[in-house]
Each structure stands twice: as C-alpha cells, then as structure tokens.
Amino acid sequence: MNISRLLTSTVELDKVMELITNSLIIIYKAELGFVGLREGDKIRIAQAKGDHGDLLIGKEWPMVQPLIENVFSKVEPSFLSIDELMTLPGLSDVELDSKNKIMVYPLWTSLGAVGLLGIVFSPDSMDDSDTRNLQIYANFAAIALANAKLVSRLEKEAETDFLTGFFNKRAIRNILVNELERTIRYGIPLTVIFLDIDNFKTYNDTFGHVAGDVVLQKTADIIKNSIRTVDIAGRFGGEEFVIILPGTKEEGAVAVAERIRKSIETYPFPHRKVTVSLGIALAKNSHSVDSLLEEADQALYQAKRQGKNRFYLDPP
C-alpha cells in the first residue's frame, strides 16, 4: 500500500485509482471498493473493484442528491446501510448483500472536494483499528487523487478556473487587451458585463460550500448557454463573472444581460431562488483594460444599490 510514493508522482490518474481500489480489496478484505471523482456538479464512479464493481463504474450522482450532500457536509466518514446506498440513482442493477455495511469517505483537499472513497464490507471483517487505519489511508488517497488530477490539468488550469472551466482573471485580462486593441484600431464595438451572484455569502454560510459550488457551476452553465460562440466568459473571482461581447453594441448587450438575469432567476436551484446583478460597460477609445473593467464594476455596484436582480448601464 505504498500510496505515499504517488504524492509527487506524475503517474496517470487511472493508475492511482486502481492502486487505491486494489488496496481496499487486498488489505481490508472489502467486498467492494470504489472511487468517485467530482466532475462539476456531480460525482462519477471512475474505478471500482470487487463484487459488481463493473456495474458501478460510470454511475453518476448529483452533488445535490440528499445522500451525497450529507456525505460532503462533514470530513469524517459516513456509515451507510445497503438500503441507503440503493437510494442513489442508477443502482437498480447492482445486487449487494443486505447484511453488509458501507463506509463512504469524502475526499477533501486544498482544492476542495475532489471525490469520494467507498468500501463495502461484512460487519465482522473490520475492527476499530482497521477503521482508524482506513481513515489514514483515505486521507492519503485524497491527496494522491488531487495531485494526479492537478498534474493532468496544470496546463489547462493556467488559464481556466478549476470549478467552472471558464477563463480565469488572468486570461480574461489578456483577452481584453487584444479585444480592446481591435476596438481602438478598427472601430469594432465591444461590451463588457460584470455579473455578481446576489447574497452569495449568505447562501454559502447557510447551505454549505458544496451547495455554493453548485450555484457557481450552474450559473456558469447558464451564462455559457446564453451567449454566442464568439463571446468570452470568465470567472473573475469569488461569485463574480465577466462576459466579453465582441462586436456588440448597447442593445445587444442589454438583451444578453437580461436573458442571463431571467434564466438564473427562474432556475430551480436546490435550496432557494438565486438572483444576479449585472453591470454593463461599452468600450471607448479612451479606455484601458483597467478603466473598462472599473466602469463595468461601477455599473454592477449601481445595480446592487438599486435593489439587485437587475442590470445597469450608464446612460449615453
């Protein structure tokens, strides 16, 4: 079980998961061991060994599913019955002994929740010492998985946000340099929209960081589905997003802002309604990247002052 050697290794992610699940079967005599990786707003079972493991691979469970949400509401393992496990979607074809028990470990790292580790075992096969050792093992597994995922995504993450897949602040600023230059040189219209999720801190504090992450991810999805392929979206930090609309004048920008605002307001988020405020800035020849972003930020501030759940554009 020399999983510690993987902590700085560039070994492929699937080999890390295979080592983890094989160790669960061999060392802890598990009936079934499985690893679920977090992919956006869901958990996907990426590796499973043991009884019916082949049937478990590929199953997907939403992060907001009550059982999964409860697992990630704490850092210690959850002990489940087979009946409880079967409440997860897609398990009707998996048959497990009803006398068995399940331990599910949420895998937390500095990157956040990266996945979960599950072990199905008979009640008399593990004692307290085994349980303590397995907790230590799960902590190593979380770090190994996080590092393997990080290595495979380093190049992409240099310009993208880990949670949403959008461009990050650094990339957005670089893109704006080029777009603003085209506006100044060729007179091509350019609009920037700042978007902020209203009362997001309260939502996060009330329902937890996993629920907050789901809101961020779904907001990103709605933005992506509300803009053209030539438009550019990014996460500027926290709950704030930036949308760059090349070739778009005031009327088009207002239509995009309202479409996004209304789509988010009417989307059935799990815990309560979510709204956003948006600020619109039209690029001028006198703008620098900083001054254009500042103008959009000030417009967003005005939308907040006027009551939130709205957009604001300075009158021409």
Side-chain angles (χ1 to χ4, degrees), residues 106-159:
L107 302 179
W108 289 97
T109 71
S110 58
L111 295 175
V114 296
L116 56 79
L117 178 65
I119 175 170
V120 178
F121 60 96
S122 59
D124 57 354
S125 66
M126 292 184 65
D127 56 24
D128 290 342
S129 176
D130 290 326
T131 302
R132 287 192 298 271
N133 289 337
L134 188 56
Q135 176 70 72
I136 296 170
Y137 180 84
N139 291 335
F140 276 113
I143 297 170
L145 283 171
N147 283 356
K149 289 182 73 173
L150 189 60
V151 166
S152 67
R153 297 176 64 163
L154 262 179
E155 185 174 335
K156 180 181 177 183
E157 288 182 359
E159 291 191 340

Side-chain angles (χ1 to χ4, degrees), residues 102-249:
I102 303 109
M103 275 190 290
V104 180
Y105 290 84
L107 302 179
W108 289 97
T109 71
S110 58
L111 295 175
V114 296
L116 56 79
L117 178 65
I119 175 170
V120 178
F121 60 96
S122 59
D124 57 354
S125 66
M126 292 184 65
D127 56 24
D128 290 342
S129 176
D130 290 326
T131 302
R132 287 192 298 271
N133 289 337
L134 188 56
Q135 176 70 72
I136 296 170
Y137 180 84
N139 291 335
F140 276 113
I143 297 170
L145 283 171
N147 283 356
K149 289 182 73 173
L150 189 60
V151 166
S152 67
R153 297 176 64 163
L154 262 179
E155 185 174 335
K156 180 181 177 183
E157 288 182 359
E159 291 191 340
T160 57
D161 171 58
F162 175 79
L163 187 65
T164 63
F166 274 10
F167 286 112
N168 59 24
K169 183 176 182 178
R170 172 185 168 187
I172 283 292
R173 291 182 64 87
N174 290 337
I175 291 168
L176 261 181
V177 168
N178 295 328
E179 292 299 331
L180 194 54
E181 183 178 341
R182 292 202 316 144
T183 293
I184 294 170
R185 180 172 296 183
Y186 303 112
I188 298 172
L190 175 67
T191 303
V192 171
I193 299 175
F194 257 30
L195 177 152
D196 185 85
I197 301 172
D198 296 327
N199 305 312
F200 182 74
K201 184 179 185 303
T202 302
Y203 191 101
N204 228 13
D205 292 345
T206 303
F207 305 114
H209 291 291
V210 170
D213 285 354
V214 170
V215 170
L216 291 168
Q217 289 161 341
K218 189 59 196 179
T219 298
D221 287 342
I222 291 172
I223 292 171
K224 182 170 62 176
N225 293 330
S226 301
I227 59 178
R228 306 166 301 176
T229 54
V230 297
D231 299 329
I232 302 124
R235 184 179 175 201
F236 214 61
E239 66 271 27
E240 196 167 60
F241 294 83
V242 174
I243 304 153
I244 301 172
L245 306 175
T248 302
K249 298 181 180 179

